[in-house]
Amino acid sequence: MDIQDERRRLLDAEGTDEYETVTGVRSEQDIYLDKVQNGKLYLAVFVSVLGPLSFGFVLGYSSPAIPDLITTNDDRVRLNDDQASWFGSIVTLGAAVGGLLGGWLVERIGRKLSLMFCSLPFVFGFAIITAAQNLWMLYVGRALTGLASGVTSLVVPVYISEIAHERVRGTMGSCVQLMVVTGICGAYVAGTYLGWRWLALCCSLPPTLLIVGMCFMPETPRYLLSQGKRREAEEALRFLRGPDAPVQWECARIEEACDHQGAGFKVSDLLEPCVYKPLAIGVLLMFFQQATGINAIMFYAENIFEDAHFDNRALGTVIVGLTQVFFTGIAALIMDRAGRKVLLCISGVAMTISAAVFGVFFHLTTGQHNNTSVRAMASGVEGSLGAGPEVDLAWLALASMGIFIAGFALGWGPIPWLVMSEIFPSNVKGFASAVCVLTNWGNAFIITKCFQDLLALLTNAGTFWLFSSMCAINVVFTIAFVPETKGKTLEQIQDNFRGTPAQFHS
Ligand code: BGC
């Protein structure tokens, strides 16, 4: 009996008696997925995305906390501009290191334990900030929460892609970014009511819930099978797919793919097209995500609102946060229907145009504010884009910023993380994802730190035109190189890179 017959027998054994529909032959996959119930899968995704929610809180924390720490009466923890800039950006350095640690952890202790582990530096980091008596405690707290964010940004997409099935994987995977932006927005909102110490305490709630909730969630079936634990893998699948699904069928399918992929990562694997091709795509997606300048533009947000005569800067940042949440939610809903490539292209075009218009805004208003506001904007601490005649054009800045942020949320925000979790063979997943996460956070650090120099070198307009050109390159790169992963199993995606015909269809 060949392998196809064996798998079909597993479906039949569970009472499947029809392969034909009115429209033609149904694939084994469809027959299997029709029997799946998703309730527990959604629960596991919900618990795991408390990780990205925590990491959103880390990213959002500095925006309300910095002005508070600059004006605090307690001179042991009062920040100057330079210290404030480190307080904001040290998180990205910690996260870059966290990416490396995460890549090692997911292979050593598995996906579930890595997720539980990353709650610890979140909670300790926020506890140290809450109790801070000097600047070093603030920096250490930020670096620890950054480290946890790096581990989370690697482990959660991997966990979700390995427990979800192809009908909902795009939507489930997009929940990672949805929770990141919800966390950012949550920190902005909570920051309007709470001082920096109470805010840090509040930020430690989601990671605490994560560690407790994960105790009740399963390890991923793929990881268990890669460890030769077939019985545990079937149990995990039974939990995730409900009582009616013939989980042995899915187990057989994953096992077969594991056999193809071999065990453990070896440097010689890098010569295989099914490794170097997805690795190059993953790294470039991460590089390009940061090259859009998203973090610099989010940094600008408060100044732009101020320029548009929004007296309440905090309200301005909350509006930015809500825009991100709204459009990331839309992306999550349509991801499995629209596909990754289309959304990346729409997102890239929207960002190319809006960043170019942003540049035009600066070009038209140059000379009136260039020298006075550059440093203030880059430090993100104080200052406005200027006052006077250019105020009339503030709507242009507001509109282009809104379109840029919405565009990012629709594609370039969630999709690099989603695609990273889909394209690597199991045996190189830890290593390859770590390289991607390192590229993303390393680049985020460089861009936020060099932003000030870029403004000085290229002028404000030139810097935004540079971001706009990067977004245009993103679109070309997407069309030429990014594979469409919508509706495919992880095994089919890897078969495509290997150049072998996709298996497991009908
Ligand atoms: C990016 C971060 C960014 C965040 C907020 C993430 O996908 O990797 O750099 O700050 O989205 O939009």
Side-chain angles (χ1 to χ4, degrees):
M1 189 159 38
D2 77 0
I3 205 138
Q4 294 270 351
D5 292 339
E6 170 60 15
R7 276 204 317 271
R8 195 155 283 212
R9 189 189 61 74
L10 288 172
L11 284 177
D12 284 340
E14 307 285 329
T16 306
D17 52 18
E18 45 136 5
Y19 287 93
E20 302 283 331
T21 63
V22 195
T23 48
V25 180
R26 294 166 74 213
S27 68
E28 286 182 20
Q29 241 163 283
D30 284 335
I31 294 166
Y32 176 74
L33 291 176
D34 286 346
K35 293 169 185 281
V36 162
Q37 287 167 16
N38 288 328
K40 296 266 183 61
L41 168 67
Y42 294 157
L43 179 68
V45 170
F46 175 76
V47 173
S48 68
V49 293
L50 288 169
L53 183 70
S54 318
F55 135 40
F57 270 108
V58 174
L59 289 180
Y61 178 76
S62 51
S63 181
I66 285 179
D68 221 10
L69 282 161
I70 284 174
T71 50
T72 180
N73 292 331
D74 184 348
D75 50 12
R76 294 169 307 166
V77 288
R78 193 180 310 125
L79 301 176
N80 61 31
D81 284 6
D82 199 39
Q83 290 158 342
S85 148
W86 275 107
F87 182 80
S89 58
I90 202 167
V91 160
T92 49
L93 269 190
V97 178
L100 293 181
L101 179 63
W104 182 77
L105 279 179
V106 276
E107 299 304 346
R108 283 294 142 131
I109 61 171
R111 288 49 166 154
K112 172 179 163 163
L113 281 183
S114 306
L115 244 171
M116 293 173 78
F117 164 85
C118 73
S119 308
L120 300 177
F122 271 130
V123 175
F124 283 132
F126 279 123
I128 293 174
I129 296 176
T130 308
Q133 301 299 318
N134 53 47
L135 286 184
W136 283 107
M137 287 179 82
L138 289 180
Y139 291 148
V140 170
R142 287 290 281 168
L144 273 178
T145 53
L147 182 93
S149 303
V151 179
T152 314
S153 58
L154 185 144
V155 181
V156 179
V158 170
Y159 182 77
I160 293 179
S161 74
E162 291 189 351
I163 60 170
H165 54 78
E166 49 280 14
R167 280 199 188 153
V168 295
R169 203 181 54 239
T171 296
M172 297 294 102
S174 307
C175 288
V176 171
Q177 178 73 4
L178 182 59
M179 292 313 261
V180 171
V181 292
T182 305
I184 295 179
C185 192
Y188 290 168
V189 174
T192 57
Y193 300 104
L194 301 174
W196 62 275
R197 282 192 204 271
W198 282 105
L199 184 59
L201 193 66
C202 158
C203 291
S204 58
L205 265 180
T208 311
L209 292 178
L210 171 70
I211 199 165
V212 176
M214 276 313 288
C215 293
F216 304 98
M217 297 301 124
E219 176 54 276
T220 76
R222 271 178 187 74
Y223 181 75
L224 290 168
L225 283 173
S226 73
Q227 303 296 301
K229 297 181 176 165
R230 166 96 194 206
R231 196 178 49 77
E232 287 89 335
E234 278 184 19
E235 266 167 35
L237 275 172
R238 209 161 286 124
F239 175 90
L240 295 163
R241 305 284 183 257
D244 301 331
V247 293
Q248 295 90 334
W249 178 82
E250 194 175 349
C251 256
R253 198 182 74 174
I254 303 171
E255 244 172 359
E256 198 186 325
C258 286
D259 289 347
H260 274 141
Q261 291 165 5
F265 167 70
K266 298 181 285 336
V267 178
S268 59
D269 289 341
L270 290 172
L271 299 173
E272 301 284 334
C274 64
V275 174
Y276 69 73
K277 281 190 195 166
L279 182 58
I281 291 171
V283 166
L284 285 171
L285 276 173
M286 293 304 180
F287 171 82
F288 283 130
Q289 186 201 50
Q290 292 302 325
T292 59
I294 179 66
N295 285 311
I297 289 185
M298 281 175 55
F299 220 26
Y300 256 126
E302 284 199 18
N303 303 72
I304 291 160
F305 275 106
E306 191 171 284
D307 195 49
H309 289 299
F310 261 73
D311 292 337
N312 192 337
R313 282 167 69 134
L315 180 66
T317 48
V318 172
I319 291 174
V320 169
L322 287 176
T323 310
Q324 288 227 56
V325 174
F326 180 76
F327 284 97
T328 311
I330 296 204
L333 286 178
I334 60 177
M335 190 64 71
D336 284 311
R337 260 162 289 162
R340 293 42 162 169
K341 260 186 115 134
V342 173
L343 287 177
L344 277 179
C345 288
I346 295 175
S347 158
V349 170
M351 290 163 82
T352 307
I353 298 171
S354 51
V357 175
F358 226 143
V360 171
F361 164 81
F362 283 119
H363 186 66
L364 294 177
T365 56
T366 296
Q368 296 167 60
H369 58 73
N370 220 12
N371 295 332
T372 53
S373 60
V374 163
R375 195 179 141 57
M377 282 191 288
S379 71
V381 173
E382 60 179 325
S384 98
L385 293 175
E390 75 265 33
V391 163
D392 296 336
L393 285 175
W395 64 270
L396 194 62
L398 268 183
S400 42
M401 186 184 66
I403 296 171
F404 188 92
I405 285 175
F408 179 82
L410 271 181
W412 279 90
I415 296 176
W417 298 110
L418 174 64
V419 172
M420 174 193 86
S421 71
E422 296 179 320
I423 57 180
F424 301 128
S426 300
N427 60 323
V428 297
K429 211 169 241 180
F431 166 79
S433 312
V435 177
C436 290
V437 174
L438 183 68
T439 309
N440 187 292
W441 288 107
N443 219 14
F445 176 75
I446 293 170
I447 290 181
T448 41
K449 267 295 183 201
C450 296
F451 186 46
Q452 193 178 347
D453 302 324
L454 268 182
L455 292 171
L457 191 73
L458 302 175
T459 73
N460 298 3
T463 305
F464 281 85
W465 285 331
L466 177 69
F467 289 148
S468 168
S469 339
M470 293 311 294
C471 295
I473 298 175
N474 289 1
V475 178
V476 178
F477 165 74
T478 304
I479 296 171
F481 297 111
V482 177
E484 182 50 82
T485 53
K486 171 184 84 169
K488 295 189 177 130
T489 66
L490 297 183
E491 291 72 31
Q492 286 166 343
I493 297 168
Q494 280 127 40
D495 279 342
N496 285 351
F497 283 117
R498 209 173 282 121
T500 51
Q503 298 168 34
F504 315 125
H505 277 298
S506 54

